[in-house]
Amino acid sequence: MATVTVRGRAEAETEPDRVRLVFAVRAEAVAGAEALELVAERSAAAEEALDRFGELLLARRPAAVTLTPIWSESRELGGQTITGQVARRTVVVEARSAGPLGELLAAIVAVPGSAVEGTEWLVDPDNPVHRRLRAAAVVDARERAGDYAGAAELRLGALESIAEPEVRPGEPVWTAQKLSFRSADAAGAVLELRPEPVPVGVSVDVRYALLG
């Protein structure tokens, strides 16, 4: 029996559910022990700053501390030599998209040695937009299959299979859009962040029987 296999698609933009911030706390010193002690103090200060935001935060995942030597040119030795150590700790924070995000960002960057290195707006897997797009993708697939069947002077028969391509269960949909922010005054004391619409797409592969 002849069949037709098509891929249906549906896309939409939706408001994000959360934002993911990646920031690093670093410290430099001549000795590694001093750098580690200093980065530990700064990490504690960053944790205290995050504690002030209570239910706004959904998750925080600090990574292990790394220690990297600082190399400098030495005329006396005719090459490079280690002149210090850099201790660094990365922290991933996820927060609700609705809330004082500007204050959160300002609190993070106010900690000495801290810098925001990455940002992402996220749409949760249970967001209703996914359900709507799945239904729309199936309708699109049926219309495509019908077009092919009609062009071949055939009719659509029973639905034989339906599957999502490259499914990753539980993985949120995300984009690498950077957060846009502006300072409320010349000193940059207040930062304002606004959620940006996130493009979400769904694809589905379907196969129909074709009837004469």
Side-chain angles (χ1 to χ4, degrees):
M1 178 183 293
T3 62
V4 59
T5 301
V6 297
R7 175 167 294 182
R9 297 181 177 87
E11 298 179 352
E13 287 192 343
T14 190
E15 292 299 310
D17 297 302
R18 64 179 67 196
V19 62
R20 178 181 294 157
L21 303 173
V22 180
F23 73 95
V25 181
R26 65 192 304 274
E28 296 183 13
V30 175
E34 295 176 1
L36 290 171
E37 182 178 356
L38 184 54
V39 85
E41 293 176 358
R42 292 178 174 179
S43 295
E47 290 295 328
E48 291 179 4
L50 294 175
D51 288 340
R52 298 199 299 268
F53 290 88
E55 294 185 356
L56 177 66
L57 300 184
L58 298 170
R60 64 173 90 173
R61 296 184 291 275
V65 177
T66 60
L67 192 64
T68 307
I70 301 173
W71 293 87
S72 301
E73 291 292 339
S74 174
R75 293 183 179 179
E76 296 179 357
L77 299 178
Q80 291 189 328
T81 183
I82 296 176
T83 56
Q85 299 284 339
V86 177
R88 184 175 181 275
R89 189 180 197 186
T90 303
V91 180
V92 178
V93 174
E94 292 187 4
R96 303 181 192 278
S97 61
L101 297 177
E103 296 178 17
L104 172 62
L105 183 59
I108 292 174
V109 299
V111 176
S114 291
V116 176
E117 298 184 341
T119 57
E120 296 169 349
W121 292 113
L122 303 174
V123 176
D124 288 338
D126 60 354
N127 189 298
V129 69
H130 298 295
R131 180 182 295 272
R132 295 195 299 270
L133 291 178
R134 291 184 191 112
V138 171
V139 172
D140 179 63
R142 181 174 179 83
E143 292 177 351
R144 289 172 184 266
D147 291 340
Y148 287 117
E153 298 182 351
L154 297 171
R155 295 177 293 112
L156 284 184
L159 174 65
E160 294 194 344
S161 68
I162 182 168
E164 285 185 325
E166 301 178 2
V167 177
R168 297 179 181 178
E171 182 177 89
V173 176
W174 63 276
T175 62
Q177 295 169 329
K178 292 184 178 180
L179 290 175
S180 58
F181 63 89
R182 63 181 178 83
S183 59
D185 51 36
V190 178
L191 301 177
E192 182 178 336
L193 301 178
R194 292 190 179 93
E196 300 176 6
V198 176
V200 181
V202 170
S203 297
V204 63
D205 293 336
V206 300
R207 184 172 70 246
Y208 284 94
L210 292 177
L211 306 177

